[in-house]
Amino acid sequence: MLTRRGLPRLHVPLRLLAPAGGFYGLFFVVPLTILIVLSFWTVNAFVIVPEWTLSNYLDAVSSALYGAVFVRTILIGLGTAAVVVPIAYVLAYLMRFVFERRGQFMLDLVLVSMFSGYLVRIYAWRTILGKEGLLNTLLLQMGVISEPITFLIYSNLAVVITLVGLLLPLVLLPIYSSMSNVSREHLEVARDLGSKGVGLHRTILVPMVLPGLGAGFAIAFILSVGDFVIPQMVGGPQGVMVGNLIADQFKGTGANWSEGAAFALILLSCVLVVYLTTTRAVRWVTRW
């Protein structure tokens, strides 16, 4: 069947998708292809040599040091997502169903932190978590502790806390958007049928907002494992993550772009595996 201009109907949506498809291909497919090819080449005297090899991947997999960094990165990403997603879910629930009239005002309060710069917010968390920071000063004045807590800064805990603080507004947006499409009548009917408390969320609300939860988890996990500024500024020597290894391979005197590309692709594979496994597990729990 033809349109008024004599073109098949199938060609109309393809034409509409052409700008987005071209942008996606130019800024994702092409760079990813270059990265894949580069990861199989070698570097000799700081010069990239187009010789196909698996040595970059073998070095990353066989090294105990690199393996520990990869494990730490995945655990920090999962820990950050495990903290920030429930917090965002609770905030979204409060804004949508408890304080519905003030929901927009509460959302604005959460989003106002995004108006400041990325580095400014990191320095703010350093000020809060530092040995002589705001948190230690407050606890000392309240008499809760007798000396400053030192493990709050330059540790994996500091990295997770800072990531949670920075990512909360981004994670909240998709969850609140999904929850805005859920009417109050759905929950009232579920309560009338005997679904209450945690069961109401597990069997009714969570499955209905699962797309938003999945998007929020993806944002938290992907941005956490790929960050290299926060581990460097609040993680200390023991807080090195894969993002720091990749950044070091693409800059400095000992740069090795091929090895950095291999690290990036291995990290990308780990992210995909963890994300798919987690989303399947959440679907299974909500159906149980």
Side-chain angles (χ1 to χ4, degrees), residues 119-133:
L119 291 177
V120 173
R121 286 182 285 169
I122 297 177
Y123 276 111
W125 279 105
R126 286 187 61 177
T127 303
I128 295 173
L129 301 175
K131 184 177 180 180
E132 299 178 356

Side-chain angles (χ1 to χ4, degrees), residues 10-11 18 30 46 53 56 65 84 91 96 99 107 116 121 131 135 142 184 199 228 232:
L10 182 61
H11 291 176
V30 173
F46 307 108
T53 179
N56 297 316
L65 177 60
V84 71
L91 285 175
R96 177 65 182 89
F99 306 104
L107 181 63
S116 59
R121 286 182 285 169
K131 184 177 180 180
L135 183 59
M142 294 175 60
R184 184 180 295 272
F228 63 93
Q232 185 175 357

Side-chain angles (χ1 to χ4, degrees), residues 88-110 172-173 175-176 179-180 184:
Y89 176 85
V90 172
L91 285 175
Y93 178 80
L94 293 175
M95 291 187 295
R96 177 65 182 89
F97 297 108
V98 179
F99 306 104
E100 187 173 358
R101 295 183 178 180
R102 298 180 178 85
Q104 187 60 46
F105 176 71
M106 295 175 63
L107 181 63
D108 294 338
L109 288 180
V110 175
L172 177 64
L173 287 175
I175 298 177
Y176 180 70
M179 203 169 291
S180 298
R184 184 180 295 272

Side-chain angles (χ1 to χ4, degrees), residues 169-191:
L170 297 176
V171 177
L172 177 64
L173 287 175
I175 298 177
Y176 180 70
S177 178
S178 294
M179 203 169 291
S180 298
N181 298 323
V182 180
S183 64
R184 184 180 295 272
E185 286 74 15
H186 283 90
L187 301 186
E188 292 177 353
V189 171
R191 291 190 180 97

Side-chain angles (χ1 to χ4, degrees), residues 26-262:
L26 181 62
F27 293 102
F28 179 76
V29 177
V30 173
L32 182 61
T33 303
I34 295 174
L35 201 67
I36 293 174
V37 174
L38 187 62
S39 67
F40 290 100
W41 288 356
T42 60
V43 174
N44 186 11
F46 307 108
V47 177
I48 300 176
V49 181
E51 295 180 354
W52 298 92
T53 179
L54 294 174
S55 60
N56 297 316
Y57 291 95
L58 295 176
D59 292 342
V61 174
S62 61
S63 173
L65 177 60
Y66 292 155
V69 174
F70 271 95
V71 172
R72 182 190 303 120
T73 301
I74 298 299
L75 291 178
I76 288 178
L78 287 174
T80 302
V83 174
V84 71
V85 171
I87 294 176
Y89 176 85
V90 172
L91 285 175
Y93 178 80
L94 293 175
M95 291 187 295
R96 177 65 182 89
F97 297 108
V98 179
F99 306 104
E100 187 173 358
R101 295 183 178 180
R102 298 180 178 85
Q104 187 60 46
F105 176 71
M106 295 175 63
L107 181 63
D108 294 338
L109 288 180
V110 175
L111 297 180
V112 72
S113 63
M114 299 180 63
F115 296 160
S116 59
Y118 178 69
L119 291 177
V120 173
R121 286 182 285 169
I122 297 177
Y123 276 111
W125 279 105
R126 286 187 61 177
T127 303
I128 295 173
L129 301 175
K131 184 177 180 180
E132 299 178 356
L134 180 62
L135 183 59
N136 271 319
T137 301
L138 181 62
L139 293 177
L140 286 171
Q141 292 180 352
M142 294 175 60
V144 178
I145 57 176
S146 57
E147 57 183 13
I149 302 174
T150 58
F151 64 83
L152 290 177
I153 193 68
Y154 302 126
S155 63
N156 293 331
L157 177 62
V159 175
V160 172
I161 293 175
T162 306
L163 285 170
V164 169
L166 267 64
L167 295 176
L168 180 59
L170 297 176
V171 177
L172 177 64
L173 287 175
I175 298 177
Y176 180 70
S177 178
S178 294
M179 203 169 291
S180 298
N181 298 323
V182 180
S183 64
R184 184 180 295 272
E185 286 74 15
H186 283 90
L187 301 186
E188 292 177 353
V189 171
R191 291 190 180 97
D192 292 340
L193 294 176
S195 182
K196 298 180 181 179
V198 178
L200 175 66
H201 291 270
R202 183 178 62 84
T203 59
I204 304 298
L205 190 55
V206 170
M208 296 183 72
V209 300
L210 196 58
L213 289 173
F217 175 83
I219 292 173
F221 182 66
I222 293 174
L223 294 182
S224 297
V225 298
D227 198 291
F228 63 93
V229 179
I230 293 177
Q232 185 175 357
M233 297 187 66
V234 302
Q238 305 299 323
V240 177
M241 295 172 59
V242 178
N244 301 106
L245 297 181
I246 297 173
D248 291 340
Q249 296 300 331
F250 281 92
K251 66 179 182 180
T253 56
N256 188 333
W257 285 21
S258 296
E259 194 168 78

